[in-house]
Amino acid sequence: MPRRPGGVRKKRRTHHGPMETPDAAPDKTPRSLVFRRGTVPTGIRDLVSDLRTALMPHTARNLRERHTNSIKDYVSICGPLHISHLWILSATTTSPYLRLARAPHGPTLTLRISGYSLACDVRASQRRPAALSARDFEQPPLLVPHTWAAAACHPHHLLA
């Protein structure tokens, strides 16, 4: 801390950002939490980490999961953190499952995972894997819906 004459120090609050006004409209960007429920194999744990990386920057990267946390705990923090979606991975003896839930009261979509590839497996299979840095995940991924116009002609393709 810089000291003034007379030994009195002046604290500079450069680490604080501008204060938010309470009447400011929240950002409509979808934010998500990715976590696992129950005991899952190590492949699913790695998949949780890969999903968090893929959904950066609008997801909680270093979320600490505990066995004592319930889904109610995660839903209770969705409001203050402006989280709109929950990605919940779980596994049974037959197969792993992914549940996509809209927070706080929205519908839940349950999907059975038939197969997956981890990012480390994809990098291992490439001849020259790209060196990714933290800077590559500062911008959200870009979705280009160039084939959706053709799929609109055949509605059964949209249902699959």
Side-chain angles (χ1 to χ4, degrees), residues 109-112 148 151-152 154-160:
L109 178 67
T110 304
L111 305 167
R112 186 170 61 94
W148 288 7
H154 304 288
H156 61 279
H157 287 208
L158 294 174
L159 298 176

Side-chain angles (χ1 to χ4, degrees), residues 70-93:
S70 65
I71 294 180
K72 188 176 183 180
D73 296 333
Y74 292 112
V75 171
S76 66
I77 64 168
C78 287
L81 298 178
H82 304 292
I83 293 172
S84 60
H85 294 84
L86 300 174
W87 294 53
I88 309 163
L89 281 102
S90 61
T92 61
T93 57

Side-chain angles (χ1 to χ4, degrees), residues 3-154:
R3 294 203 177 262
R4 289 188 187 165
V8 179
R9 65 187 178 115
K10 179 182 178 184
K11 185 173 182 181
R12 296 188 181 170
R13 298 183 179 265
T14 58
H15 59 280
H16 292 292
M19 296 296 293
E20 285 187 28
T21 57
D23 31 319
D27 189 15
K28 295 295 182 184
T29 305
R31 300 183 191 283
S32 61
L33 281 179
V34 181
F35 59 94
R36 57 185 164 81
R37 296 292 300 151
T39 51
V40 295
T42 56
I44 299 297
R45 290 182 186 193
D46 295 336
L47 182 62
V48 168
S49 175
D50 287 348
L51 281 173
R52 287 178 183 168
T53 305
L55 295 173
M56 288 297 288
H58 300 297
T59 190
R61 176 76 177 125
N62 297 321
L63 179 67
R64 294 182 183 172
E65 305 163 354
R66 295 199 173 100
H67 292 291
T68 57
N69 289 5
S70 65
I71 294 180
K72 188 176 183 180
D73 296 333
Y74 292 112
V75 171
S76 66
I77 64 168
C78 287
L81 298 178
H82 304 292
I83 293 172
S84 60
H85 294 84
L86 300 174
W87 294 53
I88 309 163
L89 281 102
S90 61
T92 61
T93 57
T94 57
S95 64
Y97 288 89
L98 169 68
R99 286 189 288 170
L100 296 172
R102 177 100 166 112
H105 303 292
T108 302
L109 178 67
T110 304
L111 305 167
R112 186 170 61 94
I113 301 172
S114 60
Y116 58 91
S117 296
L118 299 175
C120 61
D121 297 332
V122 173
R123 271 190 237 107
S125 67
Q126 293 175 340
R127 185 174 292 173
R128 291 187 195 99
L132 298 175
S133 65
R135 190 171 172 212
D136 295 332
F137 298 105
E138 290 176 356
Q139 297 294 324
L142 178 66
L143 175 66
V144 181
H146 67 283
T147 60
W148 288 7
C153 299
H154 304 288

